[in-house]
Each structure stands twice: as C-alpha cells, then as structure tokens.
Amino acid sequence: WINPWDAPQGAGYQTIQSLYAIGSGGLMGVGIGNSRQKHLYLPEPQNDFVFSVVCEELGFIGAAIIILIFVLLVWRGYVIAMRCRDRFGSMLSVGLTTQVGVQTILNIAVVSNTVPNTGISLPFFSYGGTALVMLLCQMGVILSVSRQSSIEKE
C-alpha cells in the first residue's frame, strides 16, 4: 500500500492505474467518455475506482466540483439535524449523513492512495443497484426529517 511500485504487476497494479488515471486528467480532463484507463487497465472502474475515471474525464476542476457537491450534501444533512426538534430525527439525520460522508472520504482516499484499498464504493456514482436504492432511501429519510421539522415550525 505505501509503495505500490514495489509490485507493479501484483498488489500495486490497481493503485498505480488509479494514480495514472487521476494524473492524466490534468486540469480540464480528457472529456466525458474518453477515459483510457477504464479500458482494460483499471480493474473495476465502475465500482471502487469510479472516482479515478471521473478525475481523468473531468479533470481537477470536475473532481473539485464533485467533492464540493458532497461537502454541501453533508453540510445540509447536518443543518437538517441541527434544526430538528426531536432527538431521534436529529440523530437519524446525523447518522445517515455521516455514513455518506465517511463513505465518500474513504473512497476518495483509496483512489488517491492515501489509505489501503478497502473496497468501499463512491456514493451515487458507483455501479450497483442495491447501493443506489439504499442511498436514495437514506436521502428520503433525511428529507422526511427535514419536512417534519418544517411542519412543526408552522
């Protein structure tokens, strides 16, 4: 994990290809759908390492915008939790928001070789119907908490 170039064809292969994808994106990226690393170089580009493909296609600016959107999502979830009148809704909102935030941080850290590969997918981006359905249900619960808090204020 610390030096993936010790085994470039073995354990470090996926991490090296991910770093190549991130680096080849540059500032503006190569364009949507034009990633070269996702074609037989980067294993599982649709799951665990989708953020490296996004970085290659959209570049630094696109990756920064996606990170900013996740930050705003987490911030808004915490605002909803702070404005909630009952403790259960507040804790529910904090827990679900924290889960999405931590999952995002871990995926981006894995893709950038900051932490060892954990197999955690990027919320709302990674391929997989069950994970997307569960995330959408979580967002629905948070929206319900927000709606109940606003109804009580009226």
Side-chain angles (χ1 to χ4, degrees):
W1 159 67
I2 293 176
N3 188 7
W5 284 272
D6 284 344
Q9 294 297 321
Y13 180 78
Q14 194 167 8
T15 302
I16 290 171
Q17 297 304 318
S18 173
L19 294 174
Y20 284 158
I22 293 170
S24 66
L27 184 65
M28 298 298 290
V30 296
I32 295 176
N34 294 328
S35 172
R36 292 177 295 279
Q37 289 300 113
K38 69 180 176 184
H39 298 293
L40 300 177
Y41 293 108
L42 185 61
E44 299 297 325
Q46 72 278 6
N47 290 337
D48 300 346
F49 285 81
V50 70
F51 190 71
S52 60
V53 174
V54 168
C55 288
E56 183 179 14
E57 292 181 355
L58 300 179
F60 175 77
I61 293 174
I65 289 171
I66 289 173
I67 291 172
L68 179 67
I69 290 170
F70 275 114
V71 167
L72 290 173
L73 178 72
V74 170
W75 172 76
R76 187 63 190 154
Y78 288 144
V79 168
I80 289 170
M82 288 187 297
R83 292 185 180 169
C84 187
R85 291 181 181 247
D86 64 328
R87 187 173 299 228
F88 177 75
S90 180
M91 292 294 116
L92 188 63
S93 183
V94 165
L96 295 176
T97 302
T98 302
Q99 185 266 329
V100 171
V102 168
Q103 186 174 347
T104 302
I105 290 169
L106 284 176
N107 181 270
I108 293 172
V110 164
V111 166
S112 62
N113 197 32
T114 307
V115 298
N117 194 344
T118 57
I120 293 178
S121 61
L122 186 65
F124 304 109
F125 279 82
S126 296
Y127 177 77
T130 306
L132 181 61
V133 168
M134 295 309 295
L135 283 165
L136 291 175
C137 289
Q138 288 177 346
M139 293 302 109
V141 168
I142 292 172
L143 287 173
S144 176
V145 168
S146 174
R147 188 173 130 231
Q148 292 299 322
S149 296
S150 65
I151 290 173
E152 291 174 3
K153 288 181 182 179
E154 293 176 358

